[in-house]
Amino acid sequence: MSGRSSGTMTLPPVAVKIVISGGFGVGKTTFVGAISEIEPLVTEAEMTERSIGIDDTSAVTAKTTTTVALDFGRITLDDALLLYLFGTPGQDRFAFLWDDLVDGALGAIVLVDTRRIEDCFPAIDYFEEHEIPFIVGVNAFDYARRFDIEEIRDALGLDPDVPMVECDARDRESVKNVLVALTERVLARRLGKERAGSAW
Amino acid sequence: MTGTPWGPDPRMIPYAGNPSPSTPSRAPAGERVGLHSGADEDPVVRPFMLTGGRTRPLRDGLRIETLLRAAPAALSAPLRFESRRIVELCQAPMSVADLAVALRAPLGVIRVIVGDLITDGYLAIVEQLSELPTSLIERIRDRVRAL
């Protein structure tokens, strides 16, 4: 441990991850770009033709790699606190990347486009199944018909305690609000757990 | 013990060069992979070329947000290009994803190189708390609000 005199705290930095999810074209890239301090893109390369038996080396030559671009944002909250945003790939064929992306996340934001509500079902199912705290952000597209937020909740079959917020993925303040709403959700869930725990 | 980690990953992509870890990335390319000719049917450098075709890191637990830090002494180690760059970048803590952006390489490639560097003692994971304390989540909320 070197005593660097850079004026930063001696504690090691903490990296926190939030996952941005939703259907293809719902505004994840815009959302991340509205708040990130870096160009929001990182790539992953994966084997295609994954159905080939892993022990069948004769088939190896038939494989190629596919590169998928992931939305990636970084926000330096202070000297010792980094917030990373990662967008899940929208296409189903990259769903196998999700576990890596979501593992260890503080929570998730599911973006919804009211014209294609069903696109976010896989994301909601995933986070419910894995007990990841999440909230739903209803991205306001100018030309989309406005729905009552409770109407959307019904359409999504969401638990009443999952927060829903309207947002504009292009607007930094709006994106901030969504992130704050997620942290509130995480805190509320934690308090709920503590209460439940103390009741035993 | 020494042989197994370098064996071909079952999912590896074709790599025509010598799979030895010390082979420079500009090793003579075979018929399938045109690394620097650019005229073959596949002009793109295959992403896992940098790892000798290995797609799985020696080290588990490397998340995209995992922070890494290199010892200053690692700067004088005899490392090849990408590894050297990573060690330079990680003089201040850097995440796997940040490295992937800086090196313009896929996350999986970075994971393999980083795994090697950790195994060789040049790089260390900045250990994270297993569960974030409530006060830290409140700090995140307040800092985001103040952005």
Side-chain angles (χ1 to χ4, degrees):
Chain A
M1 294 292 109
S2 61
R4 251 188 265 167
S5 54
S6 53
T8 56
M9 295 171 69
T10 48
L11 284 171
V14 176
V16 178
K17 173 171 67 178
I18 289 175
V19 175
I20 316 297
S21 195
F24 186 69
V26 76
K28 298 187 292 279
T29 307
T30 311
F31 185 97
V32 174
I35 195 141
S36 175
E37 62 199 29
I38 54 165
E39 199 59 35
L41 198 67
V42 65
T43 63
E44 178 61 298
E46 276 292 334
M47 304 302 113
T48 53
E49 299 184 90
R50 293 187 309 123
S51 57
I52 294 170
I54 54 163
D55 292 322
D56 183 4
T57 48
S58 67
V60 159
T61 50
K63 296 187 187 180
T64 53
T65 52
T66 302
T67 302
V68 52
L70 304 171
D71 301 312
F72 163 51
R74 183 182 58 209
I75 307 163
T76 306
L77 292 179
D78 59 41
D79 283 349
L81 189 53
L82 288 164
L83 181 61
Y84 288 105
L85 306 179
F86 288 97
T88 54
Q91 305 98 314
D92 286 346
R93 64 199 174 101
F94 296 119
F96 60 92
L97 287 172
W98 278 48
D99 288 346
D100 267 355
L101 282 169
V102 174
D103 181 36
L106 176 71
I109 291 159
V110 178
L111 290 178
V112 176
D113 177 347
T114 53
R115 294 163 303 169
R116 292 170 295 164
I117 270 189
E118 65 281 3
D119 286 4
C120 71
F121 289 167
I124 289 176
D125 288 346
Y126 185 95
F127 297 129
E128 282 179 346
E129 203 172 296
H130 290 76
E131 297 189 354
I132 309 285
F134 72 97
I135 65 168
V136 170
V138 181
N139 196 10
F141 287 88
D142 294 335
Y143 34 86
R145 194 191 131 202
R146 291 303 179 101
F147 289 89
D148 179 69
I149 205 99
E150 289 308 314
E151 247 183 291
I152 301 171
R153 182 188 298 280
D154 285 347
L156 294 175
L158 268 190
D159 279 348
D161 60 336
V162 173
M164 297 183 66
V165 284
E166 287 190 86
C167 68
D168 181 341
R170 299 162 299 186
D171 180 63
R172 184 178 154 89
E173 285 303 312
S174 181
V175 168
K176 272 167 55 178
N177 283 339
V178 179
L179 292 172
V180 168
L182 176 64
T183 56
E184 297 280 15
R185 170 63 175 161
V186 174
L187 288 166
R189 260 182 50 139
R190 182 166 294 205
L191 282 173
K193 263 186 200 159
E194 276 166 16
R195 282 208 197 98
S198 63
W200 286 98
Chain B
M1 188 65 197
T2 50
T4 36
W6 299 107
D9 186 293
R11 301 183 303 164
M12 74 179 273
I13 56 166
Y15 176 66
N18 185 338
S20 155
S22 58
T23 303
S25 57
R26 290 179 66 86
E31 48 173 331
R32 281 196 50 83
V33 184
L35 177 56
H36 35 73
S37 70
D40 291 342
E41 78 279 359
D42 185 2
V44 180
V45 177
R46 291 178 181 274
F48 288 96
M49 182 73 94
L50 300 177
T51 65
R54 292 175 304 134
T55 60
R56 286 187 184 156
L58 290 181
R59 166 89 197 203
D60 287 334
L62 289 172
R63 290 177 182 154
I64 42 187
E65 78 279 18
T66 298
L67 294 177
L68 302 151
R69 178 180 267 162
L75 286 174
S76 47
L79 297 169
R80 32 183 284 227
F81 181 75
E82 300 82 18
S83 303
R84 160 155 304 280
R85 183 96 180 95
I86 288 175
V87 161
E88 285 167 5
L89 289 166
C90 289
Q91 292 301 303
M94 266 238 169
S95 72
V96 171
D98 285 318
L99 290 171
V101 171
L103 273 78
R104 296 169 185 274
L107 292 162
V109 171
I110 297 297
R111 280 198 182 97
V112 173
I113 302 176
V114 161
D116 290 353
L117 287 169
I118 293 172
T119 302
D120 293 340
Y122 296 125
L123 216 54
I125 291 176
V126 179
E127 293 297 339
Q128 298 288 309
L129 307 158
S130 55
E131 198 191 36
L132 297 182
T134 302
S135 61
L136 187 65
I137 301 173
E138 287 168 345
R139 190 165 123 213
I140 295 167
R141 177 197 59 196
D142 297 342
R143 301 279 188 198
V144 169
R145 200 174 263 154
L147 281 174

